[in-house]
Amino acid sequence: MLQSDRREFLKLAGMAGVTFTAGLFPGERVAAQATDFHFVQFSDTHWGYSGAANPDAEHTLAKAVATVNGLARQPDFVVFTGDLTHTTDDPKLRRERMKRFREIVSALAVKDVRFMPGEHDASLDKGEAYREFFGAPYYTFDHKGTHFIALDNVSDPAAKLGDEQLAWLAADLKQRKPDDRIIVLTHRPLFDLQPQWDWTTADGAKAIELLMPYRNVVVFYGHIHQEHHHMTGHIAHHAANSLIFALPAPGSQPKRAALAYDAATPGKGLGTRDITVADKVTLIELPVTKG
Amino acid sequence: MQRRVLMALLAGSALGGAARLAADQPVEIRISAKKFEFHPNKVMAKRGQPLVLVLTSEDRIHGFKMPDFGVRADIVPGQETRVPLMPDKAGSFTFFCDVFCGDGHEDMDGTLVVEA
Ligand SMILES: [Cu+2]
């Protein structure tokens, strides 16, 4: 890491208040510098939402885009882990929201941007509008030696990956070596985080079972509108903040209702995340707007 | 809403015994679903008293899930979905819709109160 990069890194860490480093990629020993990179995760932008939980809903996404554009070290790429738009019963309005969302995020300086659906985007029409705008809801890509797998657990309104996608995942994983770096991106938690709040994926355990033989697997997801870290065996699962409203910690109150907006601390609990992939995976939570 | 019925069919087949005690007869509880609520959304039961939930939908497909008792079913309009349930522990237990049904889906839930 260059000195200037390190300073920026530390500045960011201070700004965000939280840096999360874990011995992730636990099977990894030595990593070549050439394979180090970072990317930014956006999640749960819910474009089209209006309500008391975020009076600034029309501007939050654009502000977060500007904040990421202001990073001294621009990320190699950006991922959006679902709920790009807020749900609507009106197929025409759904498409208008996707169109406007795409326009806003086209202001990102980084042009390599990957999308994933959330249930708000895809569950009412089984992903039809989503695919028109953003293409395949599940796919893989490779970046500097890391294999990325985007999984779709929302196009089925019952929150299933489904047998077809699981077979596709199994076939993809067969081509990996046990110590390959694998990053899984998805919307809902693959494990049973809080079943009473439906914070699960109906057949997520099957995906985790398929991933278990691989020693360097990290999962990034959204859906729960808060930072959260959990291990299933050696596999780390990191939930991201939302850009619309925060939800309570799992099981901390009877209902999973949105946390009330506080005018004194706008943007509290919201933001994006910078993820550095090296011999460790380092997470820096970024606020909506630079303070 | 709650009514006790003699489940002759169940008593005669699945449960096997010809002479069941009345207390062992499942109590039928009807719950209807529509965007974005269950009616009723608070259901009372007694511990050890078997139930049969009779689920119907007034509009579209919904889900019914109660993780504390391992219960889940689709609720399809135009038919009754019957779900047996043995409340073997006392307390308040959440049930909710787990088939995404629109803006309000996240609030579509209810409570089963099991008295000791
Ligand atoms: Cu529903």
Side-chain angles (χ1 to χ4, degrees):
Chain A
M1 197 181 266
L2 295 171
Q3 194 53 43
S4 60
D5 283 350
R6 183 170 297 279
R7 218 177 303 123
E8 173 69 12
F9 181 95
L10 292 172
K11 197 173 78 191
L12 278 173
M15 177 173 73
V18 183
T19 306
F20 186 92
T21 308
L24 309 173
F25 286 150
E28 194 93 355
R29 290 205 173 168
V30 184
Q33 293 276 327
T35 62
D36 296 357
F37 65 94
H38 73 126
F39 67 101
V40 167
Q41 179 187 11
F42 282 65
S43 204
D44 299 85
T45 52
H46 283 261
W47 179 257
Y49 168 86
S50 66
N54 187 348
D56 195 38
E58 279 192 58
H59 309 290
T60 309
L61 176 56
K63 286 177 180 174
V65 166
T67 299
V68 170
N69 284 346
L71 294 176
R73 284 168 66 234
Q74 280 294 289
D76 285 16
F77 58 91
V78 170
V79 300
F80 283 81
T81 48
D83 283 355
L84 316 175
T85 60
H86 196 73
T87 193
T88 167
D89 284 351
D90 178 352
K92 191 163 165 272
L93 181 57
R94 179 175 307 122
R95 284 165 175 81
E96 282 167 17
R97 287 181 181 177
M98 288 182 177
K99 184 165 175 277
R100 183 68 191 126
F101 164 86
R102 201 169 57 183
E103 285 167 6
I104 295 167
V105 306
S106 71
L108 280 164
V110 175
K111 291 306 168 198
D112 187 354
V113 182
R114 317 267 173 169
F115 299 99
M116 261 151 278
E119 74 281 359
H120 279 252
D121 305 302
S123 281
L124 289 187
D125 66 359
K126 296 192 161 59
E128 188 185 315
Y130 175 86
R131 288 192 305 272
E132 284 172 27
F133 280 80
F134 305 105
Y138 61 90
Y139 53 87
T140 66
F141 62 98
D142 293 277
H143 188 79
K144 292 186 178 171
T146 296
H147 187 63
F148 286 81
I149 305 173
L151 295 179
D152 171 13
N153 47 16
V154 298
S155 288
D156 181 332
K160 283 193 191 100
L161 294 155
D163 292 343
E164 193 181 318
Q165 188 177 183
L166 285 165
W168 168 88
L169 173 63
D172 180 78
L173 288 171
K174 274 218 177 79
Q175 301 169 56
R176 311 295 138 218
K177 292 193 286 295
D179 60 350
D180 279 357
R181 290 175 171 185
I182 297 170
I183 290 183
V184 176
L185 306 167
T186 192
H187 181 66
R188 302 172 64 100
L190 292 176
F191 63 97
D192 283 349
L193 171 56
Q194 182 70 15
Q196 287 79 4
W197 287 5
D198 203 23
W199 283 356
T200 62
T201 296
D203 51 4
K206 291 182 183 170
I208 293 175
E209 194 184 316
L210 290 171
L211 291 162
M212 281 307 280
Y214 300 87
R215 290 198 287 272
N216 298 305
V217 179
V218 181
V219 182
F220 292 98
Y221 69 102
H223 188 58
I224 68 163
H225 293 212
Q226 63 195 285
E227 190 191 346
H228 189 273
H229 312 282
H230 179 83
M231 302 295 290
T232 56
H234 64 282
I235 300 176
H237 303 255
H238 303 289
N241 285 327
S242 161
L243 281 175
I244 203 69
F245 53 74
L247 287 169
S252 61
Q253 55 185 59
K255 296 218 179 205
R256 66 192 148 175
L259 296 180
Y261 179 82
D262 178 2
T265 54
K268 187 183 170 200
L270 308 183
T272 62
R273 162 185 285 165
D274 192 306
I275 298 156
T276 298
V277 179
D279 55 340
K280 287 182 194 299
V281 172
T282 305
L283 282 53
I284 303 172
E285 303 300 328
L286 303 174
V288 174
T289 311
K290 278 197 196 187
Chain B
M1 280 309 291
Q2 215 180 98
R3 63 200 170 93
R4 181 166 295 207
V5 293
L6 285 176
M7 298 293 290
L9 259 174
L10 276 175
S13 57
L15 299 181
R20 311 282 307 175
L21 292 171
D24 290 335
Q25 303 306 315
V27 169
E28 200 176 273
I29 296 176
R30 304 187 71 87
I31 301 175
S32 71
K34 68 173 183 202
K35 293 193 293 185
F36 300 97
E37 58 191 15
F38 289 105
H39 186 82
N41 62 7
K42 188 175 179 187
V43 174
M44 306 298 290
K46 277 208 157 57
R47 190 173 69 187
Q49 166 67 64
L51 307 175
V52 172
L53 306 177
V54 183
L55 309 172
T56 54
S57 170
E58 293 176 31
D59 46 21
R60 71 188 305 284
I61 185 166
H62 292 280
F64 184 94
K65 190 169 176 182
M66 204 179 326
D68 293 295
F69 291 103
V71 166
R72 112 138 288 279
D74 285 331
I75 315 175
V76 179
Q79 67 187 62
E80 285 187 352
T81 301
R82 304 179 72 84
V83 180
L85 169 65
M86 171 53 94
D88 53 7
K89 52 195 169 192
S92 285
F93 305 99
T94 300
F95 57 85
F96 56 87
C97 173
D98 70 342
V99 174
F100 189 84
C101 56
D103 195 2
H105 164 75
E106 285 96 343
D107 303 319
M108 185 165 170
D109 58 19
T111 309
L112 171 73
V113 179
V114 181
E115 293 171 326

